[in-house]
Amino acid sequence: MKLLIKYSSLVAAVCVLSVLSGCVAKEVAENFANTVKGDYYLSTDNHEAGEEYFRREVEQNPENVLNNYYYGRLLLLSHRAKTALPYLKKAASLAPENADYHFWIGAAYGSLEQGKERTFYQQALQLDPEHQQALTALGNSYMRSKQYTKALQMYGKALSLWPENPGALYNRALALSKLGRHKEEKDAWHRYLSVNSSGRLARNAVEHLNALGDFSYRNYILGARLVTVKAIAFDQSGTEVARASRSSLEMIGETAAGIESGMLQVVVYYKGDTELAKARALSIRRQLLKSSPELGRERIGVSWFGEPQRNRKKKWNIEESIDFFLINK
């Protein structure tokens, strides 16, 4: 009889465990599915569908951390930070050990410009000292309050973890500029442009370099397009385009060829040597015709001067220089 009772108790216990395991398995499966869906909606432009999905999920299961987190993130992407905050905070309260949740609360406060974001970035870093997003965002917060030295410290830590972090690279150079540390600033702009050489921030980086008297990168306006390239270099003869500069000319040629009308004008300056300036101008045209034959000789004009390129507005006086621009035929 006692044996029968013990056996019955064991069967009951196994049944209970099976039920509990089933519940756990179901929860794990649901969380996995929501993680996949949440990451998908965050990586696409279909934010509205994601918001609607996780709104329903939160209504059905308001104590699920992932439901709150993804709903908050998607609301934040839709520029609804104030609405997103309660859900991000709920996620952090349900899983206080997760640094990401604290970081995104900080990001929400940062977009609202309420001055509270720094606390949450610091909380994220207490949980994970190598949280790259928190390090960069905290640096940005210090930049906005003109605490440039503190900002540099944060960017330095972020870059030690990810040396190609574009936001940290750009703002580090900007902080050095604000501090008047121009030698370091110049190196920092070069480091940024080695990673990101296109777009608005690259154009700004080149303008900063040019203002420091460094013309190793140039911005050229071709019609409605602005092209950022490394300055054209020449081989040992001094007259033929260097192999490393062919990609820059190819970009310029392709951009000009893509514009239906107008002539690409190449102007070469070389202080004190008109013949060398002429030889370089003709070499550039030959290379442009090789890399962008669709442009055609009739759409490439060349001229040269045995004097520096001057720009009074920007206070340029470049002894060896090349300019590119489009003119109407």
Side-chain angles (χ1 to χ4, degrees):
M1 185 67 178
K2 288 182 179 180
L3 181 61
L4 181 60
I5 293 173
K6 287 183 178 180
Y7 176 77
S8 299
S9 299
L10 180 60
V11 170
V14 169
C15 291
V16 170
L17 286 173
S18 297
V19 171
L20 289 175
S21 298
C23 292
V24 171
K26 181 181 178 182
E27 182 179 356
V28 169
E30 288 177 352
N31 284 341
F32 176 77
N34 282 345
T35 299
V36 172
K37 289 179 181 178
D39 289 341
Y40 165 76
Y41 285 124
L42 287 173
S43 64
T44 67
D45 293 328
N46 196 10
H47 301 153
E48 291 184 2
E51 285 179 29
E52 180 58 24
Y53 173 82
F54 280 102
R55 182 190 64 78
R56 293 195 304 267
E57 290 295 300
V58 169
E59 286 181 353
Q60 294 173 10
N61 190 355
E63 298 303 312
N64 182 280
V65 62
L66 292 178
N67 292 345
N68 285 280
Y69 169 67
Y70 282 114
Y71 189 38
R73 285 286 311 278
L74 288 161
L75 288 168
L76 196 56
L77 276 178
S78 299
H79 307 290
R80 297 162 66 189
K82 191 173 182 179
T83 307
L85 267 172
Y87 299 99
L88 295 170
K89 287 183 176 181
K90 183 65 176 290
S93 69
L94 291 168
E97 74 290 348
N98 190 305
D100 283 344
Y101 300 162
H102 296 278
F103 166 76
W104 285 109
I105 295 172
Y109 275 120
S111 65
L112 292 171
E113 298 181 353
Q114 292 186 0
K116 298 179 180 179
E117 72 270 19
R118 220 174 274 177
T119 298
F120 295 95
Y121 297 150
Q122 289 166 341
Q123 286 178 5
L125 289 169
Q126 286 175 357
L127 292 165
D128 179 6
E130 296 186 351
H131 197 289
Q132 295 179 36
Q133 289 173 297
L135 286 166
T136 304
L138 186 54
N140 295 344
S141 177
Y142 286 133
M143 281 289 290
R144 287 191 292 271
S145 61
K146 300 182 180 181
Q147 295 176 274
Y148 303 123
T149 301
K150 286 187 176 181
L152 277 178
Q153 292 171 352
M154 294 301 107
Y155 296 140
K157 290 179 181 179
L159 290 168
S160 70
L161 299 168
W162 180 23
E164 296 186 351
N165 180 331
L169 284 172
Y170 184 90
N171 285 327
R172 178 177 178 273
L174 197 58
L176 289 166
S177 174
K178 298 291 186 181
L179 290 168
R181 292 161 58 174
H182 299 309
K183 185 179 183 302
E184 295 171 86
E185 176 196 353
K186 187 185 294 188
D187 293 340
W189 289 126
H190 275 281
R191 188 174 169 188
Y192 172 78
L193 287 165
S194 70
V195 171
N196 189 349
S197 60
S198 63
R200 179 180 60 84
L201 293 182
R203 179 195 68 195
N204 293 346
V206 170
E207 289 178 354
H208 279 286
L209 269 181
N210 294 169
L212 292 169
D214 184 322
F215 297 94
S216 54
Y217 285 85
R218 297 290 299 273
N219 290 323
Y220 296 112
I221 299 174
L222 304 177
R225 294 280 304 278
L226 188 144
V227 180
T228 297
V229 295
K230 277 190 173 183
I232 306 303
F234 296 86
D235 65 10
Q236 291 182 349
S237 70
T239 59
E240 295 299 317
V241 174
R243 183 180 296 273
S245 289
R246 293 177 185 176
S247 60
S248 293
L249 284 179
E250 184 176 359
M251 184 182 298
I252 290 169
E254 287 180 352
T255 302
I259 299 172
E260 293 183 0
S261 62
M263 175 179 284
L264 176 63
Q265 190 67 34
V266 182
V267 186
V268 178
Y269 301 84
Y270 195 102
K271 182 181 178 180
D273 197 332
T274 304
E275 289 303 310
L276 180 56
K278 177 182 178 180
R280 288 185 170 186
L282 296 177
S283 175
I284 288 172
R285 181 168 65 183
R286 287 194 297 271
Q287 186 57 44
L288 282 168
L289 288 171
K290 286 182 182 178
S291 62
S292 304
E294 67 276 19
L295 190 58
R297 181 180 291 272
E298 70 282 357
R299 289 192 61 195
I300 304 175
V302 294
S303 55
W304 50 85
F305 299 93
E307 60 186 54
Q309 181 184 9
R310 294 184 175 90
N311 186 317
R312 293 181 180 178
K313 182 179 179 181
K314 296 184 177 181
K315 300 180 181 179
W316 285 359
N317 187 12
I318 319 171
E319 295 188 357
E320 298 180 34
S321 179
I322 301 163
D323 201 6
F324 298 91
F325 54 89
L326 284 177
I327 60 173
N328 294 324
K329 290 185 179 181

